[in-house]
Amino acid sequence: MNLRINSRHLEITPGIRDHLENRLERIRKHFDHVIDASAFLMVDKAKEKGLRQTAELTLHLKGKELFAQAHHEDLYHAMDAVIDKLDRQVIKHKERIQDHHHDKHLQ
């Protein structure tokens, strides 16, 4: 899986990249047909502290794209939250594919 990370008002450190790559392994365990992933990390001057750090992640699958976004006052927690959201979407997508193929074989 290719991972592309873009940022706004933030420098991507090796620690941030490693954290994101390690968390994406969890998605890869569930579903290994991910073509590539695009991450967008940003720090804004929002009035609410909880909305300052934002992580957006898009997974490109065969025939589908999955997107999730999370805000938190800590960037690492925002990345964990976005991975959790995408993990649930990947599991749901995988179940749909398996159900669809299973119904095809029953006919």
Side-chain angles (χ1 to χ4, degrees):
M1 168 186 356
N2 297 326
L3 175 62
R4 186 176 20 153
I5 302 175
N6 295 319
S7 65
R8 183 186 325 150
H9 305 291
L10 174 72
E11 182 180 337
I12 303 299
T13 64
I16 291 173
R17 177 175 284 282
D18 290 342
H19 183 80
L20 196 55
E21 288 175 350
N22 290 338
R23 298 296 184 209
L24 281 171
E25 286 298 319
R26 190 171 94 194
I27 291 176
R28 193 179 297 166
K29 287 180 185 176
H30 292 293
F31 192 70
D32 59 350
H33 299 291
V34 177
I35 297 169
D36 66 347
S38 302
F40 189 63
L41 308 174
M42 63 186 126
V43 178
D44 288 328
K45 292 183 179 179
K47 291 181 181 179
E48 296 180 44
K49 281 188 174 182
L51 300 179
R52 289 189 182 168
Q53 311 282 334
T54 303
E56 297 177 353
L57 192 60
T58 305
L59 292 180
H60 304 280
L61 310 175
K62 184 178 178 183
K64 185 149 180 107
E65 286 189 0
L66 301 177
F67 174 80
Q69 179 182 36
H71 304 279
H72 200 275
E73 57 188 53
D74 180 32
L75 184 62
Y76 288 94
H77 288 299
M79 288 189 289
D80 290 344
V82 81
I83 293 291
D84 290 341
K85 289 179 182 182
L86 277 175
D87 193 36
R88 288 189 296 269
Q89 289 182 29
V90 164
I91 290 171
K92 190 173 183 179
H93 177 70
K94 183 178 175 182
E95 289 172 355
R96 276 193 208 130
I97 289 174
Q98 288 175 343
D99 288 344
H100 178 73
H101 289 300
H102 187 266
D103 292 342
K104 188 185 272 186
H105 292 293
L106 290 176
Q107 294 177 356

